[in-house]
Amino acid sequence: MKQKKAFFSTNLGIILTGLFIGIVAPTLQKFGNPKNMGICVACFERDIAGALGLHRASVVQYLRPEIPGFVLGSLIAALVYREFRARGGSAPILRFTLGFFAMIGALAFLGCPWRAWFRLAVGDLNAIVGLIGLFVGIGIGILFLKRGFSLGRSYKMKPVAGWMMPLIMIALLLFLIAKPLFGADGTGPIFFSESGPGSLHAPVLMSLGLTIVFGFLAQRTRFCTVGAMRDIALMKDFHLSYGVIALFVGALIMNLIYGQFKIGWQGQPVSHNNALWNFLGMALSGLAYCLGGGCAGRQLFLSGEGDTDAGTFVIGMIIGAAFAHNFGLAGSPDKLVEEQMVIGGISTAGMIAVVIGIVICIGIGFLSRDKIESRA
Amino acid sequence: MAENRIDARGLSCPQPVLLVANAVLKNEFPIVVLVDGMTAEENIRRYAESKNLKVSINHHDDEAEITIAN
């Protein structure tokens, strides 16, 4: 037990974890998940929001089992290693807001930090612009952290609070299996896309099983794509980044093996070539994740080990996705129309939303200083 | 010199290790940090070991007291 614990916190532990998800994502794509989106936390939460009817973008509605898989895998690890601790109360509404705008930014770019790396590993060069934006956003977050940014302490809660997110995830899985139909006009309340990315998915048990394993590993190793960039800039600590590099290398190799690799800027699947908004969208996301204490995936793993503040961030992301589609804020991909490449991008409303998000997140950064000084 | 106590319980990443790093820069040893999660504990231990500092950890219930000395 003690040795295992030590193993997971080593560099090799995090490299193997990153490699695992790097192999799994292109494999899920091979087996049916959307193109260049083997796994994407933001996109999949958006699909869940759609499946629940919170938005009616008919091409992105599916109860993705990967999201429950991550939370439940982390729950299992936390229970096995006695790390499950119900906790919360660290500015929940600010965490909700950060999650909300993390999603607005992610959907302007069309992906979470994981998908940015996966998109790069499949040859989508727009991901480079997104990753630079992510790094800049995290950099702004670091400036706030250095001047004492804090959302305040979380406190121990009753275990039932920590179980809420896992229970919600189990409910989503039950909806996925039962596909209940008792909506007003004979459709819903659960919606499944008949075309578009939402209609593409790998076998449920395969997605669920592999993501439970990854959730377990990620809980043990604290895998985090935002923490990776943050720790390098803040403390020259490369530990978490080894996991991200392994994710990228694993995905690149698998995409070459599967013949999924296609390099280019335009017409990449579920991607647009509008550099400015790829950059700004991910900068907004990066700032929100950095202030929220972890990337989209990490918030799921924390939710699984009883962190209700992370759970609030996740719910903020899901609601943010609903708003993004209902208000027409999300990016639209490049499209071939009569042999002509039409470059996608985001609507004027989307641009305004991203700018509002940046202003609000910077405001939260400025106004959330905490004096937790050391006591001599 | 009096020991430097830091209460990092309930703080999100990366604040616990950041507080420790600030204390290390100020050369205020020994540093005693109270944490309530394994992530903060591992981060602080990794940071301190990378600076070749001596780390000892006492666990009680859900919390850990980490002592860092040079």
Side-chain angles (χ1 to χ4, degrees), chain A residues 64-260:
Chain A
R64 298 274 172 200
E66 286 86 354
I67 301 294
F70 292 136
V71 175
L72 297 175
S74 165
L75 171 74
I76 293 167
L79 291 175
V80 168
Y81 287 88
R82 298 176 184 280
E83 283 187 17
F84 183 84
R85 278 190 330 108
R87 56 197 191 271
S90 168
I93 201 161
L94 293 182
R95 291 182 187 270
F96 177 94
T97 307
L98 291 171
F100 184 98
F101 284 111
M103 182 62 93
I104 299 296
L107 291 180
F109 165 72
L110 295 170
C112 68
W114 294 9
R115 186 172 183 238
W117 288 105
F118 288 135
R119 275 170 58 173
L120 189 60
V122 88
D124 179 350
L125 298 173
N126 298 297
I128 297 172
V129 180
L131 286 167
I132 294 171
L134 183 70
F135 198 70
V136 169
I138 294 169
I140 297 169
I142 288 173
L143 293 180
F144 288 122
L145 284 167
K146 280 191 168 169
R147 61 192 291 281
F149 169 84
S150 174
L151 291 176
R153 290 182 201 282
S154 66
Y155 293 91
K156 203 171 169 177
M157 287 181 155
K158 298 276 184 289
V160 61
W163 278 92
M164 278 304 121
M165 283 302 286
L167 285 175
I168 290 171
M169 295 298 145
I170 290 170
L172 292 178
L173 288 177
L174 293 177
F175 283 140
L176 173 63
I177 297 163
K179 300 183 172 61
L181 276 179
F182 52 82
D185 44 0
T187 62
I190 305 297
F191 298 86
F192 293 104
S193 297
E194 283 167 9
S195 64
S199 66
L200 301 168
H201 58 86
V204 171
L205 284 180
M206 181 182 182
S207 289
L208 185 62
L210 289 172
T211 49
I212 285 177
V213 174
F214 182 66
F216 187 100
L217 295 172
Q219 195 281 334
R220 298 312 306 148
T221 57
R222 334 295 179 196
F223 182 84
C224 178
T225 52
V226 166
M229 286 185 173
R230 180 197 66 209
D231 288 353
I232 293 176
L234 200 55
M235 294 179 292
K236 297 181 186 64
D237 176 3
F238 287 79
H239 175 73
L240 287 174
S241 65
Y242 296 136
V244 177
I245 293 165
L247 171 154
F248 175 72
V249 171
L252 183 63
I253 292 170
M254 295 314 287
N255 283 321
L256 290 170
I257 292 174
Y258 292 143
Q260 293 173 161

Side-chain angles (χ1 to χ4, degrees), chain A residues 9 83 85 95 145 149-154 156 222 230 234-235 237 239 293 298 372-376, chain B residues 3-15 17-19 26 28 36 38-39 42 45-46 62:
Chain A
S9 57
E83 283 187 17
R85 278 190 330 108
R95 291 182 187 270
L145 284 167
F149 169 84
S150 174
L151 291 176
R153 290 182 201 282
S154 66
K156 203 171 169 177
R222 334 295 179 196
R230 180 197 66 209
L234 200 55
M235 294 179 292
D237 176 3
H239 175 73
R298 178 77 182 141
I372 303 178
E373 280 298 315
S374 49
R375 295 189 304 258
Chain B
E3 66 174 21
N4 184 8
R5 290 190 73 85
I6 297 169
D7 183 357
R9 289 176 298 175
L11 297 178
S12 302
C13 271
Q15 292 163 50
V17 67
L18 212 51
L19 290 172
K26 287 185 201 151
E28 295 169 338
D36 60 355
M38 282 305 294
T39 306
E42 287 167 7
R45 192 180 55 199
R46 196 168 54 245
D62 287 345

Side-chain angles (χ1 to χ4, degrees), chain A residues 259-319:
Chain A
Q260 293 173 161
F261 186 85
K262 184 169 81 59
I263 199 158
W265 286 97
Q266 297 184 352
Q268 292 282 1
V270 203
S271 160
H272 65 73
N273 183 223
N274 187 324
L276 177 64
W277 295 97
N278 279 330
F279 174 85
L280 287 176
M282 277 310 249
L284 168 57
S285 264
L287 173 58
Y289 294 131
C290 190
L291 298 182
C295 72
R298 178 77 182 141
Q299 303 287 348
L300 292 173
F301 309 133
L302 287 169
S303 300
E305 54 176 68
D307 185 339
T308 64
D309 291 325
T312 308
F313 189 102
V314 171
I315 292 170
M317 285 190 74
I318 293 172
I319 301 299

